[in-house]
Amino acid sequence: MNIGKLLKLLISSLLGFLIDLNDSRYGHLTWEWNRGIRSYLHPSIFALLYKVLAFLHLDTPWFMMKAPRLLQSIFSAVGDLYLYKLSKILFGEHVARWALFAQLANWFIFFCITRTLSNTLETVLTLVSLYYWPCIRASSGEDPLAPRRWGLALAALACAIRPTSAIIWIYVGLLELFSTLHRVKFIFMEVIPIGGLVLGLTFLLDRMMYGSWVFVPLNFLKFNILSSGGDYYGTHPWHWYFTQGFTVMVFTFLPFVVAGIVISKEWKLSGLIAWVVGIYSILGHKEFRFVLPVLPIALMFSAVALAKLGKTNVSYGQNKASQSAATRSSIKTKLAVLFLLGTNLPMALYMSMVHQRGSEDVMYYLSREAVNGEITSVLFLTPCHATPYYSTLHHDIPMRFLDCTPSEEKGYLDESDKFMMDPVGFTSEFAKNWSIPSHIILFDSQEKLLKEFLASHQFHEIKRFFHAHFKVDRDLQASVVLYAFRGH
């Protein structure tokens, strides 16, 4: 078979996969897809994984639930590797080992990095790409052109997956532009061709999946930046990332991060952290995950301080005073490690395995019951997106949650808002036109108000799942409750 026929066969196979992917049997597309502000590039990775599982006859609900996170774990391991490599080329192997320790010990990395969010893959791509940029690794002495092309391709991929990643690459790109000797070549022979190729292929993928020409980055910019559409889901004061968000993510590594920045005098990377956190601070709607890509960089600076703390120059024959100083240094290092592990590991385990687990546990339970035909339809009387959906159930069963699609109308209340303001009134009105579900899911805080309604419509509690010990942004939601219809 010649090259042309082989290429044609590969393209035909890819087109067949994409057409099959677009013709899904069941599922739900949220409002973002109707407005064209999400690219199909990121979910296509997991769709391909599902196709592989189906081909291998492993597409059981358990595999379908676990496989995406296992795949993301592999991506995250690549990120860990490149954080080590970046630290090594900048600060040496000793610091690189401490950087890997910081990455693995930090509670928020432990909590978030294996989740199938676009932000987690963006973080991995950021770490890998930074390693290849000459302006970041200028001291390596290697030929900058080949690595830079890899860095550009990965940066473009990060932007295709999450357009706000451009905040990072504008900063890095300008650094490179001012440091390179061949600026025109950099722009016209590298940035435009490589960036255009990656974004162009993504554009074609979205055209195939949406069924029309949709330019996702522009729609994303219009909604989130120009119209402040994200503010619909809540706003925070401008200083939130500095006083709460990013500070909580770094947690007890914070003093080591500050010390490491001062010791290293690596102003380009510390400037990147300040730039990203500063730009995101301008936006009204803020979330921890938005600044996740610069968290590993901050932890790398903590590694500089930890390495400095344990550095000694004791050799054979030195006096007792020098040996005593080395002993004190060793004790300080051990205390620092115990302090960091003692504060981060309990937090990591609690947030990952205990806090707000009820929303997942109830879906695991429903998935098992669906196998036995015990579930025919589900109604979620909760704030929208409070639980996983078909990604955990993996059965073709009708489900309905309360809508929270943003509106340009000032003061507009969506279904979720109306329910939270008046659970009894909203549910009574909603029930006039519903198709009675076999199961209802709600939090105990609303259950107290809806007990009479549920009993009058012949719904009975069948299981209760622990959810949280303390409230976050609403009243305490201590448990998730599952009700089943017992009428005729």
Side-chain angles (χ1 to χ4, degrees):
M1 182 181 294
N2 60 36
I3 299 294
K5 289 183 178 180
L6 179 60
L7 184 61
K8 187 177 180 180
L9 178 62
L10 289 173
I11 293 174
S12 299
S13 300
L14 178 60
L15 288 174
F17 160 70
L18 291 173
I19 291 169
D20 189 33
L21 174 62
N22 203 20
D23 186 27
S24 57
R25 292 178 297 164
Y26 62 89
H28 175 79
L29 288 177
T30 55
W31 63 269
E32 293 97 332
W33 302 95
N34 295 325
R35 294 197 181 184
I37 65 172
R38 291 283 186 267
S39 172
Y40 276 90
L41 180 59
H42 185 239
S44 292
I45 297 171
F46 300 102
L48 178 60
L49 173 65
Y50 288 150
K51 291 296 181 182
V52 172
L53 291 176
F55 178 77
L56 298 173
H57 302 290
L58 295 174
D59 52 339
T60 63
W62 188 89
F63 266 106
M64 299 286 268
M65 280 188 282
K66 302 300 182 183
R69 285 198 179 182
L70 289 173
L71 179 61
Q72 181 58 46
S73 298
I74 295 172
F75 294 152
S76 300
V78 173
D80 295 343
L81 171 63
Y82 273 86
L83 177 65
Y84 175 88
K85 294 177 70 172
L86 179 62
S87 304
K88 183 178 179 180
I89 204 168
L90 290 175
F91 306 115
E93 186 170 358
H94 186 48
V95 172
R97 291 176 180 175
W98 280 110
L100 192 56
F101 162 79
Q103 175 85 343
L104 297 176
N106 176 260
W107 81 271
F108 196 83
I109 292 291
F110 186 100
F111 169 74
C112 193
I113 202 65
T114 58
R115 299 186 174 221
T116 53
L117 302 167
S118 59
N119 308 85
T120 54
L121 187 54
E122 176 196 11
T123 301
V124 172
L125 290 171
T126 298
L127 289 171
V128 179
S129 182
L130 285 174
Y131 173 76
Y132 289 110
W133 281 86
C135 63
I136 301 299
R137 48 182 281 165
S139 60
S140 66
E142 296 180 13
D143 177 22
L145 295 182
R148 188 168 68 191
R149 294 189 184 105
W150 279 108
L152 274 166
L154 292 166
L157 190 60
C159 292
I161 289 173
R162 190 160 183 84
T164 47
S165 191
I167 294 172
I168 295 172
W169 303 112
I170 287 173
Y171 176 93
V172 176
L174 288 174
L175 276 182
E176 184 67 23
L177 184 64
F178 290 122
S179 62
T180 186
L181 297 176
H182 308 286
R183 295 174 185 174
V184 175
K185 182 179 179 181
F186 170 62
I187 295 173
F188 291 100
M189 300 299 291
E190 295 181 48
V191 174
I192 293 177
I194 294 174
L197 177 63
V198 173
L199 296 178
L201 291 174
T202 306
F203 191 33
L204 290 175
L205 171 65
D206 290 333
R207 166 65 180 86
M208 183 173 294
M209 301 304 296
Y210 276 109
S212 60
W213 293 107
V214 176
F215 192 46
V216 170
L218 180 60
N219 294 340
F220 190 93
L221 177 68
K222 286 180 178 178
F223 180 81
N224 287 289
I225 309 298
L226 301 182
S227 66
S228 299
D231 293 359
Y232 184 83
Y233 294 108
T235 59
H236 296 81
W238 69 268
H239 55 77
W240 185 79
Y241 283 119
F242 294 98
T243 57
Q244 298 177 59
F246 196 62
T247 306
V248 169
M249 293 165 68
V250 177
F251 201 41
T252 50
F253 281 92
L254 182 59
F256 300 94
V257 171
V258 175
I261 291 173
V262 174
I263 294 169
S264 68
K265 295 182 173 58
E266 183 60 54
W267 305 121
K268 288 182 291 187
L269 277 176
S270 57
L272 175 60
I273 298 172
W275 165 262
V276 170
V277 176
I279 293 296
Y280 275 109
S281 295
I282 298 172
L283 304 178
H285 181 61
K286 299 175 176 65
E287 295 185 32
F288 292 101
R289 61 189 177 93
F290 292 169
V291 294
L292 178 62
V294 293
L295 177 58
I297 301 171
L299 295 174
M300 181 172 63
F301 282 112
S302 74
V304 174
L306 287 167
K308 180 73 173 179
L309 189 66
K311 190 175 182 180
T312 59
N313 295 310
V314 177
S315 60
Y316 179 77
Q318 285 191 318
N319 58 38
K320 291 183 179 181
S322 298
Q323 293 177 354
S324 178
T327 302
R328 289 195 299 270
S329 179
S330 176
I331 292 173
K332 288 180 182 178
T333 303
K334 291 177 181 177
L335 289 175
V337 170
L338 289 174
F339 168 69
L340 291 170
L341 292 178
T343 51
N344 280 271
L345 286 187
M347 183 85 154
L349 294 173
Y350 179 80
M351 296 301 292
S352 301
M353 302 177 68
V354 179
H355 182 60
Q356 295 186 338
R357 64 172 296 158
S359 58
E360 289 196 343
D361 288 344
V362 67
M363 295 306 295
Y364 294 152
Y365 176 83
L366 285 179
S367 179
R368 292 191 297 269
E369 291 293 291
V371 173
N372 302 321
E374 299 292 330
I375 313 291
T376 58
S377 60
V378 184
L379 172 64
F380 296 82
L381 290 178
T382 66
C384 63
H385 310 305
T387 69
Y389 211 49
Y390 285 107
S391 62
T392 299
L393 191 73
H394 283 295
H395 285 87
D396 190 5
I397 293 173
M399 297 196 293
R400 169 76 155 86
F401 64 86
L402 303 182
D403 181 64
C404 58
T405 302
S407 172
E408 295 179 1
E409 180 184 342
K410 191 173 182 180
Y412 172 79
L413 295 178
D414 57 39
E415 286 185 344
S416 181
D417 294 328
K418 292 175 183 176
F419 173 73
M420 295 303 292
M421 290 178 64
D422 182 13
V424 176
F426 174 86
T427 309
S428 299
E429 188 66 27
F430 184 82
K432 292 179 181 180
N433 299 306
W434 72 358
S435 176
I436 298 178
S438 67
H439 291 74
I440 292 179
I441 294 173
L442 69 165
F443 287 110
D444 64 318
S445 52
Q446 281 74 50
E447 177 206 18
K448 298 170 185 176
L449 302 173
L450 291 171
K451 271 189 174 294
E452 185 177 335
F453 169 87
L454 292 166
S456 66
H457 286 76
Q458 302 183 63
F459 283 91
H460 302 274
E461 178 187 338
I462 59 172
K463 200 162 183 66
R464 188 173 294 262
F465 303 87
F466 166 80
H467 188 62
H469 288 113
F470 56 88
K471 65 179 183 179
V472 180
D473 54 353
R474 298 183 178 94
D475 293 336
L476 174 62
Q477 297 168 335
S479 58
V480 177
V481 192
L482 180 63
Y483 276 76
F485 181 64
R486 292 291 185 256
H488 298 289

